[in-house]
Structure formats: structure tokens, C-alpha cells
mmCIF file of all heavy atoms in Angstrom:
data_model
loop_
_atom_site.group_PDB
_atom_site.id
_atom_site.type_symbol
_atom_site.label_atom_id
_atom_site.label_comp_id
_atom_site.label_asym_id
_atom_site.label_seq_id
_atom_site.Cartn_x
_atom_site.Cartn_y
_atom_site.Cartn_z
ATOM 1 N N TYR X 1307 0.834 -1.192 0.000
ATOM 2 C CA TYR X 1307 0.000 0.000 0.000
ATOM 3 C C TYR X 1307 0.873 1.248 0.000
ATOM 4 O O TYR X 1307 1.891 1.308 0.679
ATOM 5 C CB TYR X 1307 -0.926 0.008 1.221
ATOM 6 C CG TYR X 1307 -1.813 -1.208 1.265
ATOM 7 C CD1 TYR X 1307 -1.443 -2.335 1.991
ATOM 8 C CD2 TYR X 1307 -3.006 -1.246 0.557
ATOM 9 C CE1 TYR X 1307 -2.235 -3.466 2.024
ATOM 10 C CE2 TYR X 1307 -3.808 -2.376 0.579
ATOM 11 C CZ TYR X 1307 -3.417 -3.480 1.308
ATOM 12 O OH TYR X 1307 -4.202 -4.595 1.311
ATOM 13 N N VAL X 1308 0.430 2.262 -0.759
ATOM 14 C CA VAL X 1308 1.179 3.505 -0.896
ATOM 15 C C VAL X 1308 0.201 4.663 -0.731
ATOM 16 O O VAL X 1308 -0.828 4.710 -1.404
ATOM 17 C CB VAL X 1308 1.861 3.611 -2.275
ATOM 18 C CG1 VAL X 1308 2.727 4.864 -2.342
ATOM 19 C CG2 VAL X 1308 2.674 2.367 -2.592
ATOM 20 N N THR X 1309 0.513 5.628 0.142
ATOM 21 C CA THR X 1309 -0.341 6.801 0.286
ATOM 22 C C THR X 1309 0.009 7.837 -0.768
ATOM 23 O O THR X 1309 1.176 8.068 -1.068
ATOM 24 C CB THR X 1309 -0.206 7.431 1.679
ATOM 25 O OG1 THR X 1309 1.128 7.907 1.861
ATOM 26 C CG2 THR X 1309 -0.525 6.432 2.769
ATOM 27 N N GLU X 1310 -1.024 8.452 -1.339
ATOM 28 C CA GLU X 1310 -0.851 9.506 -2.346
ATOM 29 C C GLU X 1310 -1.095 10.864 -1.689
ATOM 30 O O GLU X 1310 -2.230 11.249 -1.406
ATOM 31 C CB GLU X 1310 -1.851 9.307 -3.489
ATOM 32 C CG GLU X 1310 -1.526 8.120 -4.382
ATOM 33 C CD GLU X 1310 -0.649 8.517 -5.557
ATOM 34 O OE1 GLU X 1310 0.201 9.403 -5.395
ATOM 35 O OE2 GLU X 1310 -0.825 7.932 -6.632
ATOM 36 N N LEU X 1311 -0.023 11.623 -1.454
ATOM 37 C CA LEU X 1311 -0.154 12.933 -0.819
ATOM 38 C C LEU X 1311 -0.453 14.039 -1.814
ATOM 39 O O LEU X 1311 -1.084 15.040 -1.480
ATOM 40 C CB LEU X 1311 1.144 13.282 -0.072
ATOM 41 C CG LEU X 1311 1.296 12.759 1.351
ATOM 42 C CD1 LEU X 1311 2.670 13.127 1.884
ATOM 43 C CD2 LEU X 1311 0.226 13.339 2.251
ATOM 44 N N GLY X 1312 0.037 13.916 -3.051
ATOM 45 C CA GLY X 1312 -0.033 15.013 -3.997
ATOM 46 C C GLY X 1312 -1.359 15.137 -4.704
ATOM 47 O O GLY X 1312 -2.330 14.443 -4.403
ATOM 48 N N GLY X 1313 -1.389 16.057 -5.676
ATOM 49 C CA GLY X 1313 -2.603 16.266 -6.450
ATOM 50 C C GLY X 1313 -2.721 15.266 -7.575
ATOM 51 O O GLY X 1313 -2.070 14.231 -7.586
ATOM 52 N N GLY X 1314 -3.577 15.576 -8.529
ATOM 53 C CA GLY X 1314 -3.775 14.660 -9.653
ATOM 54 C C GLY X 1314 -5.022 13.832 -9.502
ATOM 55 O O GLY X 1314 -5.826 14.020 -8.591
ATOM 56 N N ASP X 1315 -5.173 12.867 -10.409
ATOM 57 C CA ASP X 1315 -6.395 12.080 -10.455
ATOM 58 C C ASP X 1315 -6.613 11.255 -9.199
ATOM 59 O O ASP X 1315 -7.754 10.990 -8.811
ATOM 60 C CB ASP X 1315 -6.375 11.144 -11.672
ATOM 61 C CG ASP X 1315 -6.402 11.905 -12.980
ATOM 62 O OD1 ASP X 1315 -6.845 13.073 -12.971
ATOM 63 O OD2 ASP X 1315 -5.974 11.344 -14.005
ATOM 64 N N ASN X 1316 -5.532 10.824 -8.569
ATOM 65 C CA ASN X 1316 -5.677 9.945 -7.407
ATOM 66 C C ASN X 1316 -5.277 10.623 -6.107
ATOM 67 O O ASN X 1316 -4.832 9.968 -5.164
ATOM 68 C CB ASN X 1316 -4.850 8.672 -7.609
ATOM 69 C CG ASN X 1316 -5.489 7.735 -8.602
ATOM 70 O OD1 ASN X 1316 -6.707 7.652 -8.684
ATOM 71 N ND2 ASN X 1316 -4.670 7.051 -9.380
ATOM 72 N N GLU X 1317 -5.427 11.934 -6.034
ATOM 73 C CA GLU X 1317 -5.118 12.625 -4.783
ATOM 74 C C GLU X 1317 -6.007 12.079 -3.668
ATOM 75 O O GLU X 1317 -7.216 11.925 -3.827
ATOM 76 C CB GLU X 1317 -5.351 14.128 -4.923
ATOM 77 C CG GLU X 1317 -5.034 14.898 -3.649
ATOM 78 C CD GLU X 1317 -5.208 16.396 -3.824
ATOM 79 O OE1 GLU X 1317 -5.679 16.813 -4.898
ATOM 80 O OE2 GLU X 1317 -4.871 17.122 -2.887
ATOM 81 N N GLY X 1318 -5.403 11.773 -2.541
ATOM 82 C CA GLY X 1318 -6.156 11.234 -1.418
ATOM 83 C C GLY X 1318 -6.428 9.751 -1.517
ATOM 84 O O GLY X 1318 -7.258 9.216 -0.798
ATOM 85 N N ALA X 1319 -5.712 9.054 -2.405
ATOM 86 C CA ALA X 1319 -5.941 7.621 -2.597
ATOM 87 C C ALA X 1319 -4.881 6.793 -1.879
ATOM 88 O O ALA X 1319 -3.787 7.267 -1.586
ATOM 89 C CB ALA X 1319 -5.932 7.272 -4.087
ATOM 90 N N ILE X 1320 -5.235 5.551 -1.629
ATOM 91 C CA ILE X 1320 -4.271 4.549 -1.201
ATOM 92 C C ILE X 1320 -4.059 3.628 -2.393
ATOM 93 O O ILE X 1320 -4.967 2.893 -2.803
ATOM 94 C CB ILE X 1320 -4.772 3.741 0.008
ATOM 95 C CG1 ILE X 1320 -5.163 4.676 1.155
ATOM 96 C CG2 ILE X 1320 -3.698 2.749 0.448
ATOM 97 C CD1 ILE X 1320 -4.042 5.539 1.669
ATOM 98 N N GLU X 1321 -2.874 3.703 -2.979
ATOM 99 C CA GLU X 1321 -2.556 2.853 -4.124
ATOM 100 C C GLU X 1321 -2.245 1.441 -3.641
ATOM 101 O O GLU X 1321 -1.736 1.234 -2.528
ATOM 102 C CB GLU X 1321 -1.352 3.405 -4.884
ATOM 103 C CG GLU X 1321 -1.596 4.742 -5.552
ATOM 104 C CD GLU X 1321 -2.240 4.589 -6.922
ATOM 105 O OE1 GLU X 1321 -2.539 3.446 -7.317
ATOM 106 O OE2 GLU X 1321 -2.411 5.623 -7.602
ATOM 107 N N ARG X 1322 -2.513 0.445 -4.495
ATOM 108 C CA ARG X 1322 -2.284 -0.948 -4.158
ATOM 109 C C ARG X 1322 -1.444 -1.604 -5.256
ATOM 110 O O ARG X 1322 -1.825 -1.599 -6.418
ATOM 111 C CB ARG X 1322 -3.616 -1.687 -3.992
ATOM 112 C CG ARG X 1322 -4.473 -1.131 -2.880
ATOM 113 C CD ARG X 1322 -5.934 -1.540 -2.971
ATOM 114 N NE ARG X 1322 -6.087 -2.984 -2.881
ATOM 115 C CZ ARG X 1322 -6.456 -3.766 -3.887
ATOM 116 N NH1 ARG X 1322 -6.682 -3.248 -5.089
ATOM 117 N NH2 ARG X 1322 -6.596 -5.063 -3.711
ATOM 118 N N LEU X 1323 -0.288 -2.123 -4.884
ATOM 119 C CA LEU X 1323 0.543 -2.916 -5.785
ATOM 120 C C LEU X 1323 0.396 -4.373 -5.362
ATOM 121 O O LEU X 1323 0.785 -4.745 -4.258
ATOM 122 C CB LEU X 1323 2.001 -2.475 -5.697
ATOM 123 C CG LEU X 1323 2.294 -1.036 -6.119
ATOM 124 C CD1 LEU X 1323 3.736 -0.665 -5.812
ATOM 125 C CD2 LEU X 1323 1.997 -0.838 -7.600
ATOM 126 N N THR X 1324 -0.162 -5.181 -6.237
ATOM 127 C CA THR X 1324 -0.509 -6.560 -5.892
ATOM 128 C C THR X 1324 0.338 -7.536 -6.690
ATOM 129 O O THR X 1324 0.535 -7.358 -7.892
ATOM 130 C CB THR X 1324 -2.006 -6.818 -6.163
ATOM 131 O OG1 THR X 1324 -2.783 -5.899 -5.388
ATOM 132 C CG2 THR X 1324 -2.388 -8.234 -5.767
ATOM 133 N N TYR X 1325 0.833 -8.548 -6.007
ATOM 134 C CA TYR X 1325 1.697 -9.531 -6.670
ATOM 135 C C TYR X 1325 0.886 -10.426 -7.596
ATOM 136 O O TYR X 1325 -0.161 -10.963 -7.224
ATOM 137 C CB TYR X 1325 2.420 -10.382 -5.637
ATOM 138 C CG TYR X 1325 3.466 -11.293 -6.248
ATOM 139 C CD1 TYR X 1325 4.688 -10.774 -6.676
ATOM 140 C CD2 TYR X 1325 3.235 -12.652 -6.404
ATOM 141 C CE1 TYR X 1325 5.652 -11.589 -7.246
ATOM 142 C CE2 TYR X 1325 4.192 -13.477 -6.973
ATOM 143 C CZ TYR X 1325 5.394 -12.940 -7.387
ATOM 144 O OH TYR X 1325 6.341 -13.755 -7.953
ATOM 145 N N ASN X 1326 1.382 -10.577 -8.835
ATOM 146 C CA ASN X 1326 0.744 -11.429 -9.827
ATOM 147 C C ASN X 1326 1.616 -12.671 -10.020
ATOM 148 O O ASN X 1326 2.763 -12.563 -10.468
ATOM 149 C CB ASN X 1326 0.588 -10.662 -11.152
ATOM 150 C CG ASN X 1326 -0.154 -11.451 -12.198
ATOM 151 O OD1 ASN X 1326 0.321 -12.480 -12.653
ATOM 152 N ND2 ASN X 1326 -1.321 -10.966 -12.584
ATOM 153 N N SER X 1327 1.086 -13.821 -9.667
ATOM 154 C CA SER X 1327 1.883 -15.048 -9.705
ATOM 155 C C SER X 1327 2.211 -15.488 -11.131
ATOM 156 O O SER X 1327 3.192 -16.198 -11.355
ATOM 157 C CB SER X 1327 1.149 -16.179 -8.977
ATOM 158 O OG SER X 1327 -0.118 -16.415 -9.569
ATOM 159 N N VAL X 1328 1.409 -15.074 -12.104
ATOM 160 C CA VAL X 1328 1.666 -15.450 -13.492
ATOM 161 C C VAL X 1328 2.868 -14.682 -14.037
ATOM 162 O O VAL X 1328 3.808 -15.259 -14.591
ATOM 163 C CB VAL X 1328 0.419 -15.200 -14.367
ATOM 164 C CG1 VAL X 1328 0.735 -15.514 -15.826
ATOM 165 C CG2 VAL X 1328 -0.747 -16.052 -13.877
ATOM 166 N N SER X 1329 2.848 -13.367 -13.881
ATOM 167 C CA SER X 1329 3.955 -12.545 -14.375
ATOM 168 C C SER X 1329 5.108 -12.485 -13.384
ATOM 169 O O SER X 1329 6.189 -11.992 -13.717
ATOM 170 C CB SER X 1329 3.466 -11.125 -14.659
ATOM 171 O OG SER X 1329 3.020 -10.502 -13.464
ATOM 172 N N GLN X 1330 4.851 -12.993 -12.161
ATOM 173 C CA GLN X 1330 5.844 -12.955 -11.078
ATOM 174 C C GLN X 1330 6.354 -11.533 -10.859
ATOM 175 O O GLN X 1330 7.555 -11.276 -10.741
ATOM 176 C CB GLN X 1330 7.003 -13.917 -11.364
ATOM 177 C CG GLN X 1330 6.572 -15.372 -11.386
ATOM 178 C CD GLN X 1330 7.739 -16.334 -11.505
ATOM 179 O OE1 GLN X 1330 8.850 -15.957 -11.852
ATOM 180 N NE2 GLN X 1330 7.495 -17.598 -11.197
ATOM 181 N N SER X 1331 5.413 -10.611 -10.810
ATOM 182 C CA SER X 1331 5.750 -9.214 -10.594
ATOM 183 C C SER X 1331 4.575 -8.521 -9.912
ATOM 184 O O SER X 1331 3.457 -9.053 -9.859
ATOM 185 C CB SER X 1331 6.070 -8.519 -11.919
ATOM 186 O OG SER X 1331 4.934 -8.534 -12.766
ATOM 187 N N PHE X 1332 4.830 -7.337 -9.402
ATOM 188 C CA PHE X 1332 3.769 -6.542 -8.798
ATOM 189 C C PHE X 1332 3.124 -5.667 -9.861
ATOM 190 O O PHE X 1332 3.809 -5.044 -10.668
ATOM 191 C CB PHE X 1332 4.332 -5.664 -7.675
ATOM 192 C CG PHE X 1332 4.596 -6.413 -6.405
ATOM 193 C CD1 PHE X 1332 5.796 -7.093 -6.224
ATOM 194 C CD2 PHE X 1332 3.655 -6.455 -5.393
ATOM 195 C CE1 PHE X 1332 6.050 -7.793 -5.064
ATOM 196 C CE2 PHE X 1332 3.897 -7.152 -4.222
ATOM 197 C CZ PHE X 1332 5.091 -7.820 -4.048
ATOM 198 N N ILE X 1333 1.797 -5.617 -9.842
ATOM 199 C CA ILE X 1333 1.066 -4.783 -10.780
ATOM 200 C C ILE X 1333 0.166 -3.832 -9.993
ATOM 201 O O ILE X 1333 -0.200 -4.095 -8.854
ATOM 202 C CB ILE X 1333 0.216 -5.628 -11.757
ATOM 203 C CG1 ILE X 1333 -0.801 -6.487 -10.996
ATOM 204 C CG2 ILE X 1333 1.103 -6.512 -12.621
ATOM 205 C CD1 ILE X 1333 -1.755 -7.229 -11.891
ATOM 206 N N ARG X 1334 -0.155 -2.733 -10.622
ATOM 207 C CA ARG X 1334 -0.976 -1.723 -9.965
ATOM 208 C C ARG X 1334 -2.422 -2.184 -9.909
ATOM 209 O O ARG X 1334 -3.038 -2.489 -10.926
ATOM 210 C CB ARG X 1334 -0.873 -0.407 -10.728
ATOM 211 C CG ARG X 1334 -1.554 0.762 -10.053
ATOM 212 C CD ARG X 1334 -1.467 1.974 -10.955
ATOM 213 N NE ARG X 1334 -1.968 3.181 -10.334
ATOM 214 C CZ ARG X 1334 -2.146 4.320 -10.974
ATOM 215 N NH1 ARG X 1334 -1.848 4.390 -12.270
ATOM 216 N NH2 ARG X 1334 -2.609 5.393 -10.351
ATOM 217 N N GLY X 1335 -2.961 -2.237 -8.698
ATOM 218 C CA GLY X 1335 -4.354 -2.614 -8.516
ATOM 219 C C GLY X 1335 -5.253 -1.387 -8.439
ATOM 220 O O GLY X 1335 -4.810 -0.251 -8.639
ATOM 221 N N THR X 1336 -6.511 -1.618 -8.159
ATOM 222 C CA THR X 1336 -7.472 -0.524 -8.049
ATOM 223 C C THR X 1336 -7.202 0.270 -6.775
ATOM 224 O O THR X 1336 -7.165 -0.304 -5.680
ATOM 225 C CB THR X 1336 -8.909 -1.065 -8.005
ATOM 226 O OG1 THR X 1336 -9.150 -1.845 -9.181
ATOM 227 C CG2 THR X 1336 -9.908 0.072 -7.933
ATOM 228 N N PRO X 1337 -6.983 1.589 -6.888
ATOM 229 C CA PRO X 1337 -6.749 2.380 -5.670
ATOM 230 C C PRO X 1337 -7.985 2.397 -4.779
ATOM 231 O O PRO X 1337 -9.115 2.241 -5.244
ATOM 232 C CB PRO X 1337 -6.441 3.780 -6.213
ATOM 233 C CG PRO X 1337 -6.100 3.589 -7.653
ATOM 234 C CD PRO X 1337 -6.884 2.400 -8.104
ATOM 235 N N VAL X 1338 -7.780 2.567 -3.498
ATOM 236 C CA VAL X 1338 -8.876 2.767 -2.552
ATOM 237 C C VAL X 1338 -8.980 4.260 -2.288
ATOM 238 O O VAL X 1338 -7.994 4.916 -1.969
ATOM 239 C CB VAL X 1338 -8.624 2.006 -1.236
ATOM 240 C CG1 VAL X 1338 -9.734 2.286 -0.226
ATOM 241 C CG2 VAL X 1338 -8.512 0.523 -1.514
ATOM 242 N N GLY X 1339 -10.192 4.800 -2.442
ATOM 243 C CA GLY X 1339 -10.361 6.239 -2.298
ATOM 244 C C GLY X 1339 -9.797 7.004 -3.465
ATOM 245 O O GLY X 1339 -9.225 8.085 -3.299
#
């Protein structure tokens, strides 16, 4: 989880990077807020 302090489309959001077992990498998930 990453907090978004700045402006822009996702200001005030909690970003989510979720591990994908197929690609074996972290991908950006749907932000909360």
C-alpha cells in the first residue's frame, strides 16, 4: 500500500501494488479512495 499525498487524479488515494503469480511481478491494482 502507498499513500498519495499530492494532487492529480488519485489525490487522497491509497494505491495498491498486488503480486501477480503469473507474471511474477507486482502490478498496480485498483486504488482505494
Side-chain angles (χ1 to χ4, degrees):
Y1307 302 94
V1308 185
T1309 64
E1310 288 269 35
L1311 275 176
D1315 294 338
N1316 286 326
E1317 180 177 6
I1320 305 300
E1321 294 275 3
R1322 299 162 61 250
L1323 297 172
T1324 301
Y1325 188 76
N1326 184 295
S1327 59
V1328 176
S1329 63
Q1330 295 187 344
S1331 62
F1332 283 85
I1333 59 174
R1334 187 184 186 189
T1336 302
V1338 177

